[in-house]
Amino acid sequence: MLDLRGVTKSFFGNQVLHAVDFNVRAGEVHALIGENGAGKSTLVNIIAGILKRDGGDIMFDGKLVDFGHPLEAMTAGISMVHQELSLVPNISVAENIYLRHEKSNTLGFNDWRAMRRGAAEIFERMGVDIDPAAPVGSLSVGMQQLVEVAKAISLNARLIIMDEPTSSLSEKEIAELFVVVRDLKARGIGIIFISHKLSELFEISDRLTVFRDGQHIATKDIAEITTEDVIQMMVGRHLGDLFPPKASQIGDVVFECTNVSRFGYVRDLTFNLRRGEILGLAGLVGSGRTEAMRAIVNADRRLSGRFKLNDSEVSLSDPFEAMRRGIVYVSEDRKQSGLFLGYDISANIGASTLQHYRNRFGMLSRAALRNKARTYVDTMSIRLPNVLARTIDLSGGNQQKVLLAKALDPQPTVLIVDEPTRGVDVGAKSLIHARLRELAESGVGVVIVSSEMPEVIGMSDRILVFRNGEVTAELDNRSGAVTQEMVMTHATHH
Amino acid sequence: MNSSETSMVHRFVSTREALLLLINVAIFAFLAIMRPEAFASWTNLKAVLSLMTYDLLLAMAMTVVLIVRGIDLSVGSVLALTSVTMALLMRDGVPVIPAVFAGLAVALACGLINGLLIAKAGILPFLVTLGMMSVARGLATVLTTGQYISFPRAERWFTQFGRFEFRLQIGDSFYGIPLPLLIVLAVILLFGLLLNNLPLLSRLFYVGESPEAAKLSGIRVDRHLIASYLIAAAFVWFAAVLMTSATRIGYANYGIGAELRALAAAIVGGASISGGSGSIVGTFLGVLMLALIGNGFILMNGNPNWQQATVGIVLIAAVAFDAVRRYRTGW
Amino acid sequence: MPPIIDRQSRAQRSAGQKTALVQYIGLFAITLAILLGTQLFFGNVLTAANLEVLAMNLVFEGIMALGMTFVVISGGIDLSVASVFAFAEILVAKLMVEAGLPVPAAIVITLVTCTGIGALNGFMIVAFRVHPIIITMGTLLTLRGVNLAITDGRSISGFSEGFVFLGSGKVLGINFPIVFFIVTALVLGVLLANHRFFRQLYVIGGGERPARLSGINVNRVKIIIYMLSATLAGAAGIMAAARYGAAHWGHGNLAELKAIAAVAVGGANINGGSGTIGGTVLGVIFLAVVHNAFVTSAVNTFWYDVVSGVMLLVAVLLSRLTQRRNLFAQLRIRQAKMDQIATSTKGESL
């Protein structure tokens, strides 16, 4: 019923979909799987009319379609259940379901009873019992997912896209959802199901498509393949990626944290970090890595945690205190919580270290700051249109380099980098990798959080795998023996 | 503004200041040509500048909180409360110095409450200071039951200080330069320099540009937020001291509507309600521009009542101008 | 399987509705307590005459608060209402007294002009992409200046009998402005609660991006809402002119604060996305009763400003606390789920 031919898409010159073919049959659950950044989300966003494709054809029900707005896709019969929910919390379940296609009289007054009845009927058909009059904000995330599904049904959707619907559901809720999915399937509705949990995909889907690096790798009947096959196809062999060599020597423990917990996100995290070592934190998005690192510097209030830096207890009461002790956390989100986008590079680099750039009157020496910035521009090969350019005008790769330079200026003892190369080009990527390794070699303890499996494995001397807010495995990788399969096995819930 | 400062704030701020200066010069020239004897007289210029004194201080206060992504609608009423406090104390025989410091304590207390509610309780600055605006004005009225409070027992130097003028002889004519104006200009100049060059104060820009990034950069955001409201309160206190001294009375209706003028001047001067930008020079030029336009209305035999409307129109024009520029640069 | 979700959902629903209900009941109870308390101590409160005074004291701010409710739910704010209010007073007075227009024509022209001002507000907010505080403050300053300038600071009076009815006439023994407030509140309350168009406000207030994605014409809705707000302020201004028998530029000064306070006290989230007309009406009544308590208790009525300021702060502090509690409840669900998975995997490995 849905047939994509040669669909391409790029963001800012970065191609994320390479002439992708993809199809869905009526009444099948088609699983879509791939690492983070493989292009799955981009693809489904194009199908749902949220993004526009650059090239290629989309056929739906045998007709060539071109959705300019999600609304058009919806009326055509394609609905999407979003990963971050798109429901309005302060209004009722029934109203959310019928948003923009309200049951109302000619004067525009909503017929609440009809909407509640309609919602109740849909829920009954789905076999779930959610109160249509309850405000959506009062429901658990699991039930909100089901409300989104109900919304799709109310729109008479014939193709429903579910983007990681199970990522925040309990086992019971997942079982619930699967009953609903099977029922939809039986009614001839096509379903695209994105998930990282392989066991689930094998349980629910009919066919499975693997994406990697914006390319369609394979589509197989679920009966034909095994979990191992899928992992193989997902991770592929990135022989082309060159990473710097592993640590030449690893020193003493420089940083130790014990029982770091953050309510709702992280449970009793304990680990140590050695001088000269790069420690990688692997895991799926939402497994609690970022939250754990933010809890260490207490950017978000932690529940518990004790820290030792060079064998002496430190309190790390806030990011300021952490930075004073030499522990620097670099955010995964350079735009929201990393850079000061309206300011130029020297202002950014001096953000944590203004007090170091003072003349003899105690006043800020901008010349000194700019000189320092210049040295970073050289060592990090940052390309600037001009010295005073605002960082918002730089490319992603250059922004990321500025972010790293800003973190290096306080001369950290422990550097925690979250997603060091997200959304940057290959050149910047290998440069950042090289700098991080040099840093470790100079005796700094480096922690890398990354959702890109090759990066974690390629960069780290040791890997902690996160799942559900806890470390599920510690893998020694000094010999480079860790494989993506090993990590994936511990990261996913079998 | 020297070229090194451009790196701190958006680059366009510096061109904005050049533009504002140009507009000011144009208005000045226009008035000087159209009404040479009335406008260019020292009496008139002095009146314009003296009237600016208080607005300047309040606009500085507003600029500081705008930089940290805040707003302070209570500047006008805290001015009144501070003035009333000092006047009441002096009326009852408290010597000037303790009374003035009591006024400072009151202003800082208001600033502290604003800052704490904004930084620690996480309430929108707009709402917090709106509440404070009502509370401070109310308290001032309660304390005075709406009466003028004069303080004949206060030491004379205090009541003369606000009206003191240096007499400057150039050729045959004498020019009286008001002391408060000189002090205010000096304070502003000093503050402007420190804001851009003292690391402690420069961090305010980071806090406003991106609170989240500032936090992760090891800047204690809450403390800086509170500090900026305290600085604003100190400016307000200073305005209250000058006003009380010059008028020789404390009055609960001082500064009504002043917060809007201050806000308009700061926005015209390049500050943004979304934080991270704002400059002392810009704000100064904004205040000057509003003052010149106001004066122009009177001199051109326009209805002086239109003055207030011009403040609003200038504010909207400035915002529209920025919007057009943003569209053009695709920002 | 279903029963688990069932029980959870019903329990959560009642919890969610309870918070809103508790808020309203609490506000109502406090209002009633203050009313009864002043009656008990000072008497002469619960008389028809005093209740009328009480209601008339805040009825114009109340009407503006109705419009403000819509604006606030959509995530905006309208500081210009008080200046539109005074402008309407002056315009309608000028049209009747100076231009000699008949009452209905003057009223219609005034209302349409106010609607136009609202449209301008909305347009500028949408087009300049600047925070509504700035735009409506610009309008506030401009209009206030215009009001002052076109009247030279003098008041305009000399209205016809028929016009004065709009201010002091009685319908069923109740003052016309109060009747207008009640009827408008009812109509707008029903519309806001039930009409397809107005329900969009909650979506927009919840987040503009999702609202756009779901196909709502956010700009159009916003402009219309500011038009509504200005029109209501204009209507209040016309009635106020009739009530006071004169139009004056200083009338209604700072009324926007009271309107915002009423909306905030009434439980709306100033960040947008929630609020009801019922809550706002309760908020208006509450402020009116507090005001009355100061008047009748013969405590210095100047305290009134202090108290309304404190009330505003307390109201937003409370809504902030509820927000935090909700956030914590979500975290608790996450934590429980984490605990559950943690214990289940440990069970497996044993």
Side-chain angles (χ1 to χ4, degrees):
Chain A
M1 67 196 292
L2 177 77
D3 199 359
L4 275 67
R5 297 259 168 79
V7 170
T8 56
K9 174 80 191 171
S10 47
F11 291 116
F12 310 110
N14 201 352
Q15 190 146 19
V16 289
L17 286 181
H18 300 270
V20 166
D21 294 344
F22 179 71
N23 64 68
V24 183
R25 298 175 194 144
E28 80 162 344
V29 176
H30 193 137
L32 201 53
I33 191 165
E35 282 178 4
N36 299 305
K40 306 164 298 199
S41 291
T42 311
L43 182 78
V44 292
N45 277 325
I46 287 173
I47 297 173
I50 296 168
L51 294 175
K52 279 200 89 73
R53 65 181 189 280
D54 295 340
D57 291 328
I58 302 178
M59 310 267 284
F60 186 59
D61 278 344
K63 285 192 294 273
L64 212 57
V65 289
D66 186 15
F67 304 126
H69 193 276
L71 214 55
E72 294 172 26
M74 272 182 235
T75 35
I78 299 178
S79 281
M80 180 150 163
V81 176
H82 289 269
Q83 197 176 351
E84 335 101 69
L85 299 160
S86 60
L87 300 172
V88 185
N90 283 320
I91 61 179
S92 75
V93 167
E95 189 172 5
N96 265 290
I97 289 176
Y98 287 104
L99 186 66
R100 301 299 290 160
H101 60 286
E102 291 90 352
K103 288 179 188 286
S104 51
N105 63 20
T106 42
L107 290 174
F109 284 93
N110 288 344
D111 185 345
W112 297 114
R113 201 173 300 163
M115 278 157 63
R116 279 200 294 271
R117 208 184 311 117
E121 273 166 22
I122 294 170
F123 286 137
E124 203 176 33
R125 234 163 61 194
M126 289 166 61
V128 295
D129 188 5
I130 295 174
D131 181 354
V136 160
S138 72
L139 302 182
S140 72
V141 181
M143 286 189 282
Q144 293 189 23
Q145 290 284 3
L146 294 174
V147 172
E148 288 241 30
V149 175
K151 184 174 178 176
I153 296 174
S154 78
L155 282 157
N156 290 320
R158 277 163 307 125
L159 177 68
I160 300 180
I161 301 163
M162 299 188 181
D163 191 1
E164 298 205 44
T166 59
S167 61
S168 39
L169 301 197
S170 71
E171 311 232 337
K172 277 206 180 69
E173 288 169 329
I174 293 173
E176 277 277 327
L177 180 70
F178 281 6
V179 173
V180 172
V181 169
R182 291 204 183 89
D183 178 61
L184 293 173
K185 199 169 103 172
R187 289 164 202 275
I189 293 172
I191 291 164
I192 300 176
F193 196 98
I194 300 181
S195 173
H196 284 294
K197 303 182 188 173
L198 290 180
S199 54
E200 270 174 30
L201 295 182
F202 277 90
E203 188 185 336
I204 194 74
S205 56
D206 303 299
R207 285 196 300 160
L208 183 145
T209 291
V210 178
F211 266 75
R212 193 176 69 222
D213 301 333
Q215 274 164 346
H216 176 264
I217 301 301
T219 298
K220 303 271 187 201
D221 276 349
I222 207 81
E224 294 173 7
I225 49 167
T226 64
T227 317
E228 285 67 36
D229 296 337
V230 177
I231 291 180
Q232 275 291 336
M233 290 191 284
M234 272 171 74
V235 297
R237 288 282 153 250
H238 303 266
L239 288 176
D241 290 344
L242 279 177
F243 289 97
K246 301 286 182 211
S248 56
Q249 65 171 35
I250 289 179
D252 307 330
V253 170
V254 58
F255 181 58
E256 246 183 290
C257 57
T258 319
N259 291 334
V260 177
S261 292
R262 192 179 150 209
F263 194 71
Y265 292 100
V266 184
R267 270 173 79 92
D268 289 334
L269 170 68
T270 299
F271 72 90
N272 61 39
L273 180 67
R274 289 170 178 277
R275 235 175 256 289
E277 168 186 57
I278 294 185
L279 177 69
L281 304 191
L284 300 172
V285 171
S287 57
R289 297 161 306 170
T290 296
E291 288 79 3
M293 296 304 107
R294 286 178 62 96
I296 287 176
V297 295
N298 220 12
D300 299 310
R301 192 166 318 151
R302 57 176 176 254
L303 211 55
S304 64
R306 289 201 319 279
F307 308 93
K308 264 188 180 172
L309 191 68
N310 291 324
D311 273 332
S312 53
E313 289 264 347
V314 286
S315 69
L316 308 188
S317 53
D318 62 5
F320 169 80
E321 191 61 31
M323 187 155 293
R324 210 167 61 87
R325 301 280 180 184
I327 299 168
V328 176
Y329 168 75
V330 183
S331 162
E332 59 179 332
D333 186 347
R334 60 176 170 261
K335 294 211 160 103
Q336 290 299 318
S337 50
L339 294 173
F340 301 90
L341 290 171
Y343 296 161
D344 67 14
I345 159 169
S346 66
N348 271 282
I349 284 171
S352 310
T353 49
L354 277 189
Q355 66 279 7
H356 297 164
Y357 300 95
R358 280 187 294 196
N359 59 23
R360 62 203 146 99
F361 306 112
M363 293 292 130
L364 200 56
S365 164
R366 283 172 207 284
L369 187 52
R370 197 156 319 127
N371 282 336
K372 193 57 178 279
R374 259 187 219 115
T375 63
Y376 283 114
V377 167
D378 291 342
T379 55
M380 310 280 290
S381 336
I382 301 171
R383 272 192 297 275
L384 300 168
N386 63 65
V387 196
L388 295 177
R390 294 179 300 161
T391 40
I392 198 174
D393 297 324
L394 305 184
S395 74
N398 285 313
Q399 282 182 350
Q400 193 68 30
K401 289 176 190 170
V402 174
L403 186 61
L404 192 58
K406 164 174 170 279
L408 293 184
D409 207 46
Q411 303 191 320
T413 330
V414 173
L415 179 69
I416 305 171
V417 206
D418 203 342
E419 304 290 355
T421 61
R422 176 181 282 174
V424 312
D425 56 291
V426 189
K429 204 167 182 165
S430 65
L431 187 126
I432 290 170
H433 286 155
R435 290 291 168 276
L436 287 173
R437 176 50 78 189
E438 278 168 23
L439 206 62
E441 287 295 308
S442 72
V444 177
V446 178
V447 179
I448 294 180
V449 178
S450 175
S451 301
E452 273 184 61
M453 203 82 68
E455 178 169 83
V456 187
I457 296 173
M459 287 300 296
S460 324
D461 304 305
R462 190 156 54 99
I463 296 170
L464 300 180
V465 186
F466 273 66
R467 193 180 73 209
N468 191 42
E470 291 182 299
V471 172
T472 50
E474 180 174 345
L475 309 168
D476 185 4
N477 192 35
R478 273 200 80 179
S479 55
V482 172
T483 62
Q484 299 190 28
E485 288 84 344
M486 286 160 71
V487 174
M488 192 63 100
T489 314
H490 292 290
T492 54
H493 195 55
H494 281 283
Chain B
M1 175 153 264
N2 63 44
S3 70
S4 67
E5 273 172 7
T6 51
S7 65
M8 191 63 222
V9 190
H10 300 176
R11 243 186 326 149
F12 73 78
V13 171
S14 76
T15 56
R16 180 190 198 96
E17 280 144 1
L19 188 73
L20 277 174
L21 188 63
L22 215 67
I23 295 176
N24 273 312
V25 169
I27 299 172
F28 194 95
F30 175 78
L31 291 174
I33 292 164
M34 299 301 286
R35 287 278 175 280
E37 60 303 321
F39 176 73
S41 75
W42 179 241
T43 329
N44 182 56
L45 289 179
K46 198 172 76 184
V48 172
L49 291 171
S50 301
L51 275 176
M52 269 176 64
T53 316
Y54 314 113
D55 276 357
L56 264 178
L57 288 170
L58 297 185
M60 289 303 139
M62 192 65 81
T63 308
V64 173
V65 293
L66 281 171
I67 286 173
V68 294
R69 209 179 265 201
I71 193 166
D72 190 349
L73 298 178
S74 68
V75 288
S77 49
V78 172
L79 168 82
L81 180 61
T82 310
S83 157
V84 160
T85 309
M86 294 186 297
L88 283 172
L89 287 173
M90 287 188 287
R91 183 192 66 185
D92 296 344
V94 177
V96 170
I97 300 290
V100 164
F101 276 100
L104 179 61
V106 167
L108 289 180
C110 293
L112 186 66
I113 294 171
N114 280 340
L116 284 176
L117 284 172
I118 289 161
K120 297 292 181 188
I123 307 177
L124 293 180
F126 157 69
L127 284 175
V128 170
T129 57
L130 197 60
M132 179 57 75
M133 172 178 174
S134 192
V135 171
R137 179 78 62 199
L139 280 176
T141 322
V142 168
L143 288 171
T144 61
T145 60
Q147 305 296 311
Y148 294 113
I149 307 295
S150 57
F151 36 87
R153 285 154 71 190
E155 285 105 292
R156 282 190 52 100
W157 63 264
F158 180 71
T159 44
Q160 286 178 344
F161 156 76
R163 296 181 177 182
F164 186 83
E165 292 184 358
F166 287 113
R167 290 173 68 80
L168 199 67
Q169 190 177 8
I170 298 173
D172 289 340
S173 33
F174 287 95
Y175 297 93
I177 302 172
L179 175 65
L181 179 67
L182 286 179
I183 297 178
V184 167
L185 288 178
V187 166
I188 287 172
L189 192 69
L190 184 68
F191 183 71
L193 282 173
L194 291 181
L195 184 64
N196 280 309
N197 292 300
L198 195 66
L200 209 62
L201 286 173
S202 299
R203 289 206 186 90
L204 294 179
F205 284 97
Y206 292 102
V207 170
E209 175 72 11
S210 170
E212 188 55 28
K215 183 167 93 173
L216 291 178
S217 303
I219 295 172
R220 287 181 156 151
V221 173
D222 288 359
R223 292 187 192 188
H224 284 80
L225 282 179
I226 295 169
S228 68
Y229 284 91
L230 288 175
I231 295 171
F235 274 119
V236 171
W237 164 76
F238 192 36
V241 171
L242 293 181
M243 192 178 270
T244 313
S245 162
T247 57
R248 296 173 189 175
I249 40 174
Y251 185 36
N253 282 354
Y254 277 158
I256 283 188
E259 63 281 345
L260 302 188
R261 279 201 308 278
L263 184 68
I267 300 272
V268 168
S272 156
I273 197 159
S274 46
S277 59
S279 94
I280 299 304
V281 177
T283 300
F284 172 82
L285 291 171
V287 174
L288 183 65
M289 182 169 144
L290 292 178
L292 284 177
I293 292 177
N295 187 243
F297 256 102
I298 299 170
L299 296 179
M300 299 304 290
N301 293 329
N303 184 339
N305 294 329
W306 280 103
Q307 258 185 74
Q308 205 174 31
T310 59
V311 179
I313 291 168
V314 169
L315 173 63
I316 289 178
V319 168
F321 177 78
D322 285 342
V324 170
R325 175 138 67 178
R326 223 170 30 230
Y327 278 123
R328 271 224 304 261
T329 56
W331 196 56
Chain C
M1 254 174 285
I4 290 166
I5 282 188
D6 176 24
R7 242 179 290 132
Q8 217 177 340
S9 133
R10 302 265 187 236
Q12 276 171 353
R13 170 197 180 184
S14 56
Q17 284 179 339
K18 229 183 267 163
T19 19
L21 213 63
V22 163
Q23 230 169 342
Y24 290 150
I25 292 176
L27 185 56
F28 188 71
I30 295 170
T31 312
L32 212 61
I34 297 173
L35 203 59
L36 292 177
T38 41
Q39 165 73 18
L40 224 66
F41 279 103
F42 308 103
N44 288 331
V45 173
L46 295 175
T47 62
N50 184 62
L51 284 179
E52 187 188 313
V53 172
L54 185 156
M56 282 308 291
N57 257 328
L58 227 63
V59 70
F60 300 124
E61 283 88 346
I63 294 170
M64 289 182 242
L66 296 178
M68 190 71 79
T69 310
F70 285 75
V71 176
V72 165
I73 293 173
S74 76
I77 195 96
D78 187 353
L79 296 182
S80 70
V81 284
S83 62
V84 174
F85 170 87
F87 177 73
E89 268 195 7
I90 293 163
L91 183 62
V92 78
K94 274 190 176 283
L95 287 174
M96 290 184 308
V97 177
E98 289 172 18
L101 284 183
V103 175
I107 290 175
V108 169
I109 293 175
T110 306
L111 283 180
V112 169
T113 314
C114 291
T115 313
I117 295 169
L120 197 64
N121 268 336
F123 169 77
M124 289 191 293
I125 287 165
V126 167
F128 300 162
R129 285 185 289 175
V130 188
H131 198 283
I133 287 181
I134 299 294
I135 295 292
T136 56
M137 190 171 285
T139 314
L140 161 70
L141 283 166
T142 312
L143 261 190
R144 200 191 277 166
V146 168
N147 293 339
L148 176 62
I150 58 179
T151 57
D152 274 332
R154 284 188 290 270
S155 53
I156 305 171
S157 54
F159 304 138
S160 66
E161 282 287 302
F163 181 71
V164 169
F165 175 84
L166 294 177
S168 349
K170 302 215 173 188
V171 178
L172 304 172
I174 306 172
N175 272 309
F176 181 76
I178 300 173
V179 173
F180 180 89
F181 174 72
I182 294 171
V183 171
T184 316
L186 279 175
V187 170
L188 290 179
V190 168
L191 284 173
L192 181 60
N194 296 303
H195 195 276
R196 199 164 61 189
F197 178 80
F198 292 101
R199 299 303 294 176
Q200 297 182 117
L201 293 181
Y202 291 92
V203 184
I204 295 174
E208 284 192 22
R209 211 187 100 86
R212 288 214 163 84
L213 276 184
S214 68
I216 290 173
N217 188 337
V218 175
N219 291 351
R220 194 177 68 125
V221 175
K222 276 190 180 175
I223 293 174
I224 291 176
I225 291 310
Y226 283 94
M227 286 163 72
L228 175 70
S229 172
T231 311
L232 283 174
I238 292 171
M239 285 183 286
R243 172 77 185 174
Y244 306 137
H248 185 259
W249 73 283
H251 283 170
N253 202 4
L254 294 188
E256 71 273 6
L257 299 196
K258 285 168 194 150
I260 293 168
V263 174
V265 173
N269 182 351
I270 298 288
N271 290 317
S274 76
T276 61
I277 289 292
T280 299
V281 170
L282 276 179
V284 172
I285 295 175
F286 173 79
L287 291 182
V289 167
V290 170
H291 182 83
N292 183 260
F294 277 97
V295 177
T296 46
S297 63
V299 173
N300 192 338
T301 49
F302 295 128
W303 276 103
Y304 178 64
D305 275 351
V306 181
V307 173
S308 36
V310 172
M311 284 304 158
L312 174 66
L313 291 178
V314 169
V316 288
L317 213 75
L318 278 179
S319 77
R320 181 79 193 149
L321 280 179
T322 8
Q323 268 173 39
R324 284 203 179 168
R325 222 180 39 189
N326 291 345
L327 210 70
F328 186 70
Q330 279 170 15
L331 277 182
R332 215 159 39 204
I333 296 172
R334 282 193 67 105
Q335 180 74 24
K337 196 195 131 200
M338 238 169 63
D339 291 347
Q340 179 198 339
I341 297 181
T343 46
S344 77
T345 44
K346 261 176 210 126
E348 275 166 30
S349 62
L350 276 174

